[in-house]
Amino acid sequence: SNASNHVDIIAGAADALRINNLLNVVDGNLEQGAFNVLLDGDLNVADTIGTETSTGLLRFSGSSAQTINSTNGVIYDMEINNAAGVTLNNDLTVRDQLSLEGGVFDLNIHGLTIYNPVASSGAFGPTLMIQTSGNSSDDGLSVYFDGATADPACFLYPLGTNANATVRYTPASLNLSDIADDGFVQINMSDSELSTVNNTALASNLLTYYWRIRNRSFGTAPTVESVTFTADDSDDPDAGTLYRAK
């Protein structure tokens, strides 16, 4: 917090600042410029970290679990590199680049909005993913698409859950066309059977898991060319021998 409502990092090594305990950004902008801020503690963010022109990032680099307490917080460039993971409390927007380099980003029931594909130098999976609680009411992951997006727009949602104490990586891959204006596509998962399916006819083949896709803010909704969901065998009565789309 600063009375000028703006704090700039203007000189130093590439990793210019390490914070061992709590970082509070409650009023104003923390502008790291071309430098990185390494955070080993928790974050309270009620305003903005970074700008559109920043090339540095905020890196969660702790060795124990970290927490983001957000009140309409915005982070432009953010990296998670903590095998113990980072948990989100309340909704957060990552306005430029989110990178997952180590650990799970646990959204719990809250919403994460991003503007670019999630980056990683590793392979997404149960220990490197964005995790939700697995409720149908979770806010999940929302991705921004603008009217200038070229067809087709392919986007990976590297999502999973730890619902019912079972960790699963269950991503969704979305292929859109005819994106005429700006909007968001939101996906979350539910660790249960979809109640609108005819259970009598398909009882032996129902996944005990489903995905929700919603959109908002588009004047005209884009065309969904294809969606690929990847389930876990533990949610399939046939243990992977037969999958049915819901």
Side-chain angles (χ1 to χ4, degrees):
S1 170
N2 183 7
S4 70
N5 286 335
H6 201 92
V7 174
D8 293 343
I9 299 175
I10 61 173
D15 294 336
L17 180 64
R18 180 180 290 276
I19 300 171
N20 292 324
N21 295 304
L22 179 67
L23 171 60
N24 267 309
V25 181
V26 297
D27 183 14
N29 181 281
L30 172 59
E31 161 62 297
Q32 75 270 36
F35 306 99
N36 300 327
V37 176
L38 279 55
L39 178 61
D40 292 344
D42 295 337
L43 170 67
N44 294 339
V45 56
D47 210 306
T48 307
I49 299 174
T51 67
E52 289 184 1
T53 59
S54 300
T55 57
L57 54 80
L58 174 65
R59 177 180 297 135
F60 289 82
S61 55
S63 57
S64 58
Q66 294 175 265
T67 299
I68 301 173
N69 300 299
S70 172
T71 305
N72 299 315
V74 176
I75 301 173
Y76 271 82
D77 293 278
M78 169 179 152
E79 178 185 298
I80 292 177
N81 195 348
N82 180 351
V86 175
T87 297
L88 178 65
N89 291 331
N90 278 329
D91 297 349
L92 178 72
T93 296
V94 177
R95 191 64 178 79
D96 191 1
Q97 185 64 65
L98 170 64
S99 300
L100 295 183
E101 294 300 333
V104 170
F105 189 13
D106 184 3
L107 308 185
N108 202 323
I109 63 173
H110 307 296
L112 173 66
T113 299
I114 62 175
Y115 281 68
N116 288 295
V118 180
S120 180
S121 60
F124 293 118
T127 60
L128 190 67
M129 66 178 182
I130 297 172
Q131 179 175 284
T132 74
S133 291
N135 305 308
S136 63
S137 57
D138 291 347
D139 284 335
L141 178 61
S142 295
V143 176
Y144 172 78
F145 295 89
D146 67 37
T149 303
D151 290 343
C154 302
F155 206 101
L156 174 68
Y157 290 66
L159 293 168
T161 187
N162 65 342
N164 294 310
T166 303
V167 177
R168 285 150 288 172
Y169 177 58
T170 55
S173 182
L174 184 64
N175 189 343
L176 300 180
S177 64
D178 303 322
I179 305 172
D181 50 13
D182 302 353
F184 299 84
V185 178
Q186 176 182 0
I187 297 181
N188 69 290
M189 304 86 59
S190 179
D191 187 31
S192 61
E193 291 184 357
L194 184 62
S195 61
T196 54
V197 173
N198 183 337
N199 290 350
T200 301
L202 299 174
S204 64
N205 295 320
L206 280 178
L207 291 175
T208 57
Y209 201 89
Y210 66 91
W211 295 256
R212 294 187 69 198
I213 302 180
R214 289 160 281 176
N215 72 78
R216 68 178 190 274
S217 300
F218 291 106
T220 301
T223 300
V224 178
E225 297 290 345
S226 65
V227 184
T228 301
F229 301 121
T230 302
D232 187 87
D233 286 353
S234 65
D235 293 307
D236 181 5
D238 295 298
T241 60
L242 174 66
Y243 289 90
R244 288 184 181 268
K246 293 186 173 184

